[in-house]
Amino acid sequence: MKQLDIRSKLAKRRGKRISRFAYYGLMNCIAKPFLIPKMHLTVIDRVGMKNFKKQFIAVSNHTSRCDWMYVGSAISPHRANYMVSYTEFFRAHMHAVFDFAHMIPKKNFTSDMHSIRELTDVIKQGGNVIFFPEGKSSISGTNQPVMLGTGKLFKHFKLPVIAMKISGGYLSNTQWNIQDRPGKVEITVDYLLTSEDCEKLSAEEIEKKLNDAFYNDDFEWNKKARVKFKGNDTVAVKLEEHLYLCPKCGKEFTQKGAGNTITCHACGNSVKIDEYYDLSPASENAVIPKTLRVWYELQRRNVYRQVISNENFTLTEKVKLGIQPNDHYINKKYTSEIVGEGVLTLTRSTLSFKGTKNGEPFEVSESVLNIPTLVLETDSSYFGTFAFGDYLEFHPETPCTTKWLLATEECHRAAGGKWKNELPAQQWIYEEDKPTDRENYYLHDFSSPSNAD
């Protein structure tokens, strides 16, 4: 029996338009019976997809692991090939479905000519394509800048672009806790670019239009929608992996989530999260950011200042090293297999690992200019990157993944990296303190947030 060679198998693949049978199976046997009704999906179709006759590329903001079902339903009755993370093709419960549906593998946040080849094959066959230009699902409940090269891709193919915006998806499946929390999900379908637009606009102008079209803040959306989300009794479990900075005492990694409350064990600051994701005090004189999204971005502001104020900025962490095997598929609970351990180090110039791999010494290093961000897997308790050639995954001993993600992105930008954050709604992160910071970023009537930054 011929030995399985997963990487060679993927390298030899050619793109093939998804069949009506396969797409029907995905949507009508998996998505529509089980998840879409449960999440109370509402489609706001401003294009008229039922009567849309042109070949197209569809894109969407990326709120959760369930987004593929939402976007697939929104473009109905059309079928399309999905572009998905290369890492998923190594998982035992996923690869057969991905082969059946002719999904296109893409190595996250790095140049991948093979994915372009498969995409080209599908388009030449008259197929449509769906992908998420942010490259990963939302960490904070709002969108991140689309990845560089998206505009060039659209200009190359010159196909109409359908843009979808999902609201409520993050609140239904948070990044830190993958438990389903049914409430409501809305997806709005808009016609973003014509073929003529793709030809006449610059790549930068196209990416700006995408960023503008995708902008969504689930927490602000629900202040108007007022949807109750189920599962509130465990909503704060593992939240310390996401919100590691205490907004009162400013200490890091002293937070602990339990039930629907997150508490700092250094100063006692405690915050309760209700079924609307609204925040309220659970301790006397609590300091509370306005929303969980604001809390997350306060952490980015803190990391940004640490990076730019210190040329010798360094993060180090003991980690276990994971890789994706080539001769067998990975258990469905995991995205890699542990083969070593060592120390991961981030500076303003490099990301490096020194330790062991399969019992032998192993060391790699790469410029942060080539690492715009990290791939956060499953529930954000570990992360990886393709920057070292093959996919390497790092499992830290402490719940520090969010800080590593933020620091990697801000080191990339501080070093002159091309992936900038020019989203208008997030420019406050990079500004100096203002007298209005408390009014804009914190809830009132509790304690002064003077120590939060």
Side-chain angles (χ1 to χ4, degrees):
M1 184 176 179
K2 187 177 180 180
Q3 186 176 13
L4 180 63
D5 184 348
I6 302 174
R7 287 174 179 79
S8 293
K9 176 185 173 182
L10 290 173
K12 293 175 182 177
R13 279 173 49 121
R14 295 306 301 255
K16 184 177 180 181
R17 186 182 184 186
I18 187 172
S19 68
R20 288 185 176 87
F21 175 72
Y23 202 73
Y24 179 90
L26 282 177
M27 297 311 301
N28 292 282
C29 298
I30 300 177
K32 291 182 179 179
F34 298 108
L35 189 74
I36 287 176
K38 177 182 178 180
M39 295 303 183
H40 303 102
L41 177 68
T42 298
V43 178
I44 303 170
D45 185 358
R46 296 174 178 167
V47 175
M49 292 304 298
K50 186 176 181 180
N51 298 313
F52 195 78
K53 304 299 183 184
K54 299 178 181 180
Q55 186 182 13
F56 61 86
I57 294 175
V59 291
S60 175
N61 63 325
H62 203 354
T63 66
S64 76
R65 60 188 172 87
C66 299
D67 290 346
W68 71 270
M69 303 188 197
Y70 307 143
V71 297
S73 180
I75 66 166
S76 180
H78 302 276
R79 55 191 159 111
N81 292 67
Y82 289 85
M83 184 182 290
V84 300
S85 174
Y86 183 87
T87 62
E88 299 296 329
F89 287 79
F90 289 77
R91 304 180 74 185
H93 68 308
M94 302 292 281
H95 70 92
V97 175
F98 284 9
D99 287 343
F100 172 67
H102 298 291
M103 294 189 182
I104 302 169
K106 171 67 173 74
K107 294 180 179 179
N108 308 62
F109 312 115
T110 190
S111 177
D112 187 351
M113 293 309 298
H114 178 82
S115 68
I116 301 301
R117 186 181 75 179
E118 285 205 36
L119 191 152
T120 302
D121 291 340
V122 170
I123 288 175
K124 284 182 177 179
Q125 295 163 25
N128 308 308
V129 177
I130 295 179
F131 69 97
F132 301 95
E134 293 168 85
K136 62 184 175 187
S137 57
S138 176
I139 310 301
S140 63
T142 188
N143 56 304
Q144 69 172 19
V146 300
M147 295 310 299
L148 294 171
T150 306
K152 290 181 179 179
L153 185 74
F154 292 162
K155 288 186 68 63
H156 174 74
F157 289 111
K158 298 181 176 63
L159 287 177
V161 177
I162 304 296
M164 293 172 277
K165 182 170 73 173
I166 302 169
S167 300
Y170 183 85
L171 304 184
S172 300
N173 295 98
T174 63
Q175 183 74 22
W176 68 87
N177 186 323
I178 63 174
Q179 178 181 341
D180 291 341
R181 303 184 186 282
K184 181 182 180 181
V185 177
E186 284 183 355
I187 182 166
T188 303
V189 186
D190 267 318
Y191 199 174
L192 184 73
L193 298 168
T194 64
S195 297
E196 293 74 23
D197 291 332
C198 292
E199 195 162 6
K200 72 180 182 181
L201 296 176
S202 68
E204 293 74 20
E205 289 171 325
I206 289 173
E207 288 170 5
K208 184 180 185 307
K209 284 180 70 70
L210 270 176
N211 285 325
D212 291 344
F214 285 167
Y215 183 74
N216 173 72
D217 179 341
D218 261 13
F219 300 102
E220 291 301 322
W221 169 82
N222 204 36
K223 288 187 181 301
K224 296 180 180 179
R226 304 314 291 162
V227 175
K228 288 185 178 181
F229 288 84
K230 295 182 180 179
N232 176 252
D233 55 330
T234 59
V235 71
V237 174
K238 297 189 72 177
L239 185 54
E240 67 274 6
E241 294 185 356
H242 184 73
L243 300 179
Y244 63 86
L245 177 69
C246 175
K248 186 172 185 177
C249 69
K251 291 185 177 179
E252 298 181 346
F253 310 116
T254 57
Q255 303 269 92
K256 182 65 177 177
N260 60 5
T261 303
I262 184 166
T263 302
C264 173
H265 292 294
C267 71
N269 193 66
S270 189
V271 181
K272 183 177 180 180
I273 308 164
D274 70 13
E275 57 267 87
Y276 298 100
Y277 285 87
D278 291 339
L279 307 181
S280 61
S283 63
E284 187 176 358
N285 297 323
V287 172
I288 308 177
K290 278 195 169 181
T291 67
L292 294 179
R293 187 271 304 167
V294 173
W295 196 332
Y296 180 88
E297 291 183 1
L298 285 166
Q299 294 179 148
R300 182 183 291 278
R301 185 164 73 165
N302 184 273
V303 169
Y304 164 73
R305 291 174 176 180
Q306 291 177 16
V307 170
I308 64 167
S309 65
N310 182 5
E311 291 185 358
N312 298 315
F313 174 85
T314 304
L315 279 184
T316 60
E317 189 74 25
K318 290 183 178 179
V319 296
K320 289 184 170 58
L321 174 68
I323 65 169
Q324 296 186 313
N326 196 41
D327 59 353
H328 63 277
Y329 292 104
I330 303 168
N331 183 291
K332 68 178 183 179
K333 293 182 179 180
Y334 307 102
T335 50
S336 72
E337 291 184 348
I338 302 301
V339 296
E341 60 184 12
V343 176
L344 189 67
T345 302
L346 173 70
T347 70
R348 282 182 46 165
S349 60
T350 60
L351 178 69
S352 60
F353 171 82
K354 186 175 183 179
T356 61
K357 177 183 175 185
N358 295 320
E360 299 291 333
F362 179 66
E363 185 173 353
V364 288
S365 182
E366 182 59 77
S367 168
V368 295
L369 292 172
N370 299 322
I371 312 175
T373 186
L374 300 171
V375 181
L376 264 64
E377 296 290 0
T378 314
D379 61 355
S380 299
S381 58
Y382 46 93
F383 53 86
T385 178
F386 286 96
F388 302 112
D390 207 351
Y391 180 70
L392 298 184
E393 193 169 81
F394 305 104
H395 295 245
E397 293 183 351
T398 61
C400 62
T401 55
T402 294
K403 181 162 187 181
W404 273 86
L405 174 77
L406 296 173
T408 300
E409 293 177 354
E410 298 309 326
C411 283
H412 169 81
R413 291 162 181 157
K418 294 181 179 180
W419 189 55
K420 304 296 185 183
N421 183 1
E422 296 177 347
L423 299 178
Q426 295 179 20
Q427 292 315 295
W428 70 274
I429 294 169
Y430 306 104
E431 296 172 351
E432 296 296 324
D433 287 332
K434 298 178 181 178
T436 56
D437 280 356
R438 179 178 182 183
E439 177 184 348
N440 291 335
Y441 312 130
Y442 294 88
L443 294 175
H444 298 302
D445 303 321
F446 305 122
S447 183
S448 169
S450 58
N451 295 324
D453 294 330

